[in-house]
Amino acid sequence: MMGLVPRAAARLSREEKKAMTRAKLLDAAAAVFARKGFAGASLDDVAEEAGLTKGAVYSNFENKDDLIEVLLDERLTRQTEELGKLIDERAAPGQEAEIGGALYMSYLEENRDYYLLDFEYAVHLARNPKLARRSSQGHARLESAMAEIMRRRAVEEGYELPLPVEDLTKALFALGSGITLQRLIDPARVPDDLFARMLALIFEPRQGDEEPAAGKDGKAKR
Amino acid sequence: MMGLVPRAAARLSREEKKAMTRAKLLDAAAAVFARKGFAGASLDDVAEEAGLTKGAVYSNFENKDDLIEVLLDERLTRQTEELGKLIDERAAPGQEAEIGGALYMSYLEENRDYYLLDFEYAVHLARNPKLARRSSQGHARLESAMAEIMRRRAVEEGYELPLPVEDLTKALFALGSGITLQRLIDPARVPDDLFARMLALIFEPRQGDEEPAAGKDGKAKR
DNA sequence: TGTACATCAGTGAACGCGCGTTCACTGATGTAC
DNA sequence: TGTACATCAGTGAACGCGCGTTCACTGATGTAC
């Protein structure tokens, strides 16, 4: 019983073992950075959380910057992949705003520390243009994924987007992150459903738009 | 010539001199924190920029946190006072969105470093609830000022706001800060006029709103 | 107005600490024969 | 299958540095007489 894990581990090749160490370090970094922040957490903290030593960090990553870069990049990739599924599974036609807003807010509630880390790192990026350039790619992919979803929904349900998708996407992410930051600082100052209501507002048909194609839910979005 | 400032200074009372020192330190802190960030700048940097020593900082402020708190609080108060004037002077009826958006963006362009500092400190606040509680008051005042302006405009020009003012205010600040953060990281990824266009969109009349009271500029906001 | 003492804003040096990074070493894995 | 050497992931200790904070001191300003 006690020896199982070690004995199993002893069968791993050098390469496999290294991959495990790396994974352990990334998990530990996620937890520790979330708890203490990037600046506030030391590599000793990370190593200890992983049950290893600082040397293991430097054996697997260039330095502290590299570690968090890999960490956040991998998380962003995962989120990008999950984004589509989430919305498609949950949102009925005409309910995207409410569901999307609520979904985001509950996700935020559960991942407070991760968002905080994102903001901290965003500031770090703004002060380190070289890092920023690399990280831009990941965010661009996330935006594309989101834009693609909105475009498809709009076509399927026959409504017009109020702005070019790319711009709309950027604006929605901006709105979301702005609300997020406010809530992180003082949850009481931002209503739970503000994001959802803004989404509804933004997607609502305007005077001068033609009436939605008959059938479906004519007066839906109100 | 050379002796003028010192000789004049020699006439100041202890109190006046201390006030001058404090002001010098705050100016220096504003410059240094903007340049290097709050975490990145040392109190030695601040003191040196002010032509003083660290001891002067500790003689005028409790510690580093207190220094930036006072600094940002004073700036916020100034901004709150100027906010009303700015919009009233510049924006013709029906042009609030365009002017407001453009105004904000050009202000951002000129004060890049200050915004960066704001975000850095916001994260700091989110991790230090005690600090956050005090700083909330300043932001609440800024929001009230903004809400008051929007309320008045809406009445004067006879349109309806799409959400309760308080919520709308929070949402607009959130959108603005979200766009700001994106632009700080990578200006190329956010169009200059995105904020203005979103404002226009948000204030645009919707299907189901009654037509605007005759006269004025009936089909204006399009 | 002048003198003697009190106050206190700002000095300058030292303290203590934590942290990122480096490095010689080790022991388990891999390789060649 | 077994042996001898090479490799290299991870160890553990040391290095060096910067920084926030403290503190005994000083000299200019304030106060009392």
Side-chain angles (χ1 to χ4, degrees):
Chain A
M1 219 197 192
M2 242 185 73
L4 269 186
V5 177
R7 229 187 290 150
R11 302 196 167 250
L12 298 176
S13 74
R14 196 125 87 183
E15 206 181 340
E16 289 169 319
K17 226 172 165 181
K18 182 165 191 187
M20 272 194 61
T21 301
R22 191 185 152 93
K24 269 192 226 163
L25 285 171
L26 282 172
D27 281 353
V32 172
F33 286 159
R35 206 183 310 136
K36 299 188 164 189
F38 176 63
S42 72
L43 293 183
D44 268 323
D45 294 334
V46 173
E48 195 191 347
E49 174 92 13
L52 296 160
T53 60
K54 266 192 294 191
V57 175
Y58 280 91
S59 175
N60 280 277
F61 302 92
E62 269 177 50
N63 51 34
K64 202 186 182 190
D65 269 341
D66 185 39
L67 174 58
I68 196 177
E69 190 182 334
V70 171
L71 175 65
L72 292 186
D73 190 64
E74 290 194 356
R75 202 170 97 224
L76 195 60
T77 303
R78 229 174 305 134
Q79 285 179 343
T80 303
E81 285 164 2
E82 285 171 10
L83 177 67
K85 270 183 273 175
L86 257 182
I87 296 197
D88 276 354
E89 276 171 17
R90 314 285 274 276
Q95 301 296 311
E96 289 93 347
E98 289 89 320
I99 302 292
L103 221 60
Y104 182 76
M105 280 301 140
S106 76
Y107 189 77
L108 166 60
E109 225 56 56
E110 283 166 25
N111 298 82
R112 199 177 178 281
D113 294 336
Y114 291 98
Y115 278 100
L116 217 38
L117 182 58
D118 269 346
F119 281 111
E120 185 183 356
Y121 193 63
V123 173
H124 190 64
L125 288 180
R127 287 219 171 82
N128 297 273
K130 271 190 194 169
L131 291 183
R133 231 164 296 134
R134 263 179 296 172
S135 109
S136 273
Q137 301 176 8
H139 280 93
R141 274 194 294 271
L142 179 60
E143 277 187 23
S144 300
M146 185 72 208
E148 186 47 43
I149 290 170
M150 293 205 305
R151 196 190 337 258
R152 207 186 58 227
R153 284 260 167 184
V155 171
E156 283 174 4
E157 313 191 14
Y159 56 83
E160 257 185 69
L161 295 174
L163 283 184
V165 240
E166 292 80 13
D167 294 336
L168 190 58
T169 306
K170 290 177 207 293
L172 296 188
F173 274 113
L175 177 61
S177 83
I179 288 181
T180 299
L181 185 56
Q182 286 306 320
R183 279 190 75 95
L184 287 176
I185 297 173
D186 184 355
R189 270 217 353 260
V190 186
D192 286 348
D193 63 346
L194 183 58
F195 191 37
R197 272 148 69 213
M198 284 299 294
L199 289 178
L201 197 64
I202 289 167
F203 285 101
E204 228 170 51
R206 277 156 188 79
Q207 288 185 14
D209 290 4
E210 65 268 38
E211 290 289 320
K216 216 86 190 170
D217 37 8
K219 37 165 66 181
K221 325 234 146 70
R222 244 272 150 166
Chain B
M1 219 198 192
M2 241 185 72
L4 270 185
V5 178
R7 228 188 291 151
R11 302 196 166 249
L12 298 177
S13 74
R14 195 127 82 183
E15 205 180 341
E16 290 168 318
K17 225 174 164 180
K18 183 165 190 187
M20 273 193 62
T21 300
R22 192 184 150 94
K24 267 192 229 163
L25 286 171
L26 281 172
D27 281 354
V32 172
F33 286 158
R35 205 184 311 134
K36 299 187 165 191
F38 177 62
S42 72
L43 292 183
D44 269 321
D45 293 335
V46 173
E48 194 190 348
E49 173 94 12
L52 296 161
T53 60
K54 267 190 294 191
V57 175
Y58 280 91
S59 175
N60 281 276
F61 302 91
E62 269 177 51
N63 50 35
K64 202 186 181 189
D65 269 341
D66 185 40
L67 174 58
I68 197 177
E69 189 181 336
V70 171
L71 175 65
L72 292 186
D73 190 65
E74 289 193 356
R75 201 171 98 225
L76 194 59
T77 304
R78 230 174 303 133
Q79 285 179 343
T80 302
E81 285 163 3
E82 285 170 11
L83 176 68
K85 268 183 275 175
L86 256 182
I87 295 197
D88 277 353
E89 276 171 16
R90 313 286 274 279
Q95 302 296 310
E96 290 94 345
E98 288 88 324
I99 302 292
L103 221 60
Y104 182 77
M105 281 301 139
S106 75
Y107 189 78
L108 165 60
E109 226 55 54
E110 283 166 24
N111 297 83
R112 197 176 179 284
D113 293 338
Y114 291 99
Y115 278 100
L116 217 39
L117 183 57
D118 269 346
F119 281 110
E120 185 183 357
Y121 193 63
V123 173
H124 190 64
L125 288 180
R127 287 220 172 82
N128 296 271
K130 271 191 193 166
L131 293 182
R133 231 165 294 134
R134 264 179 295 173
S135 109
S136 271
Q137 301 174 9
H139 281 93
R141 275 195 293 272
L142 179 59
E143 276 187 22
S144 301
M146 185 72 208
E148 186 47 42
I149 290 169
M150 292 205 305
R151 198 191 334 261
R152 209 186 58 230
R153 283 261 166 182
V155 171
E156 283 173 4
E157 311 191 15
Y159 56 84
E160 257 186 68
L161 294 174
L163 284 183
V165 241
E166 293 80 12
D167 293 337
L168 190 57
T169 306
K170 290 177 207 295
L172 295 187
F173 274 112
L175 178 61
S177 82
I179 287 181
T180 299
L181 185 56
Q182 286 305 320
R183 279 190 73 95
L184 287 175
I185 297 172
D186 185 355
R189 270 218 352 258
V190 187
D192 286 349
D193 64 345
L194 182 58
F195 191 38
R197 273 148 68 212
M198 284 299 293
L199 289 178
L201 195 64
I202 289 166
F203 285 100
E204 227 171 52
R206 277 161 187 76
Q207 287 184 14
D209 290 4
E210 65 270 37
E211 289 289 319
K216 216 80 187 178
D217 37 9
K219 39 164 67 178
K221 322 233 149 69
R222 243 275 149 164

